[in-house]
Amino acid sequence: MALTIQSAQSIFSNTQVPSLIPATIALFDQLNVDDQLAYLWYAYTEMGKTITPAAPGVARLQLAESLLTQIKLMSPEEQTKVMRDLASRADTPISRSYGFFSVNTKLAFWYELGELMKQGLVTPIPVGYQMSAGVRLVLEETQKLDQGQQITVLRNTVVNMGFDTSELAPSSYPKAGAEPAFQRTTPTISSVKIEGVTEPAVLGYIEAMNADNFDAAIALFTADGALQPPFQKPIVGTAAIAKYMREEAQGLNMMPQQGICEVRGDGSKQLKVTGVVQTPWFGVTVGMNIAWRFLINPEGKIFFVAIDMLASPQELLQLTRVQ
Ligand code: ECH
């Protein structure tokens, strides 16, 4: 029987525990625009006391420079309006430009705005703002998350800002291909060992990803293969996966710990591997507990891999059915 992405998506679904991340983002989405910006400010500055993201570097900031320069020259009221437009995904020239940025350029843009706010060059939150009960509630919910989950909430809210450019013709903005690489600060993790897993495609995948060798990783997939990032739809086909990896998977440290492998009737295999991933934005200070769910075809190629954020560290050990 031919493998389908739809059936692949449900492998090991009876071992999954719902994450609090989408629920927290849903609460955030219900806030009005000023409350959203205030929430992000408090969440980010609160988080900064324990963990601070790495400075994105001059090369990456260059991609956002023209917007940042425009904003610096504005009055505080105009600056607030730009931020409101971004948060409400309004159709303005700045919000459109932002919409064309890659994920990492969006993060770098806000990182720099945050720095400019600390220096008093950009207005932090709307003048006279009073924290609402809604913001307090979302902050309380955020405190229940571990650090890896907190930075995922921040990342996802930042990614969703700006005008939705997915239906527009490509812009002249530099794309991921032209983006600077993240410098690895720790030695590449090679010779991967995963307790309970010897599947070459899985070990090869982790090894290639840890070396940012996306060509080698892609070569392990079937032509119609798919990769499903956390809380997203599957990305289908090797060209689309390669583009995604170059844009969003650079500099990651993947540390799988254990897994299980089940052979299916048609000779394909399903594997679940749990472990920790570090992003170059926070380096070794923040680990995200995740699972990979792989479906490997009878020829040993990756047909499907889903990446899931785990609800808790206990789930790292939860490889079998949830009772
Ligand atoms: C200020 C106030 C106004 C509003 C805003 C502000 C600034 C906010 C800032 C936020 C910065 C946040 C950052 C977050 C970074 C998060 C990174 C994460 C990465 C997760 C990666 C994972 C990778 C998984 C994958 C694996 C694979 O095998 C395949 C690929 C892939 C305060 C000014 C907004 C500055 C920097 C969460 C899980 C394992 C799927 C990628």
Side-chain angles (χ1 to χ4, degrees), residues 40 44 107 110-111 114 152 155 158 205 244 254 288 290 292:
L40 288 162
Y44 182 74
L107 291 170
W110 282 110
Y111 174 92
T152 306
R155 176 187 186 278
V158 165
Y205 171 85
Y244 172 82
M254 305 191 185
M288 281 163 286
I290 66 153
W292 291 265

Side-chain angles (χ1 to χ4, degrees), residues 87-140:
S88 63
R89 299 168 207 171
D91 187 0
T92 65
I94 288 187
S95 186
R96 275 191 181 225
S97 303
Y98 178 91
F100 280 111
F101 284 170
S102 72
V103 167
N104 284 319
T105 303
K106 287 178 178 169
L107 291 170
F109 167 85
W110 282 110
Y111 174 92
E112 189 58 17
L113 271 190
E115 292 303 300
L116 295 169
M117 288 177 185
K118 286 180 205 159
Q119 292 162 29
L121 296 172
V122 167
T123 182
I125 36 181
V127 186
Y129 175 83
Q130 299 268 320
M131 199 199 284
S132 72
V135 171
R136 214 164 289 132
L137 173 77
V138 193
L139 283 172
E140 274 163 25

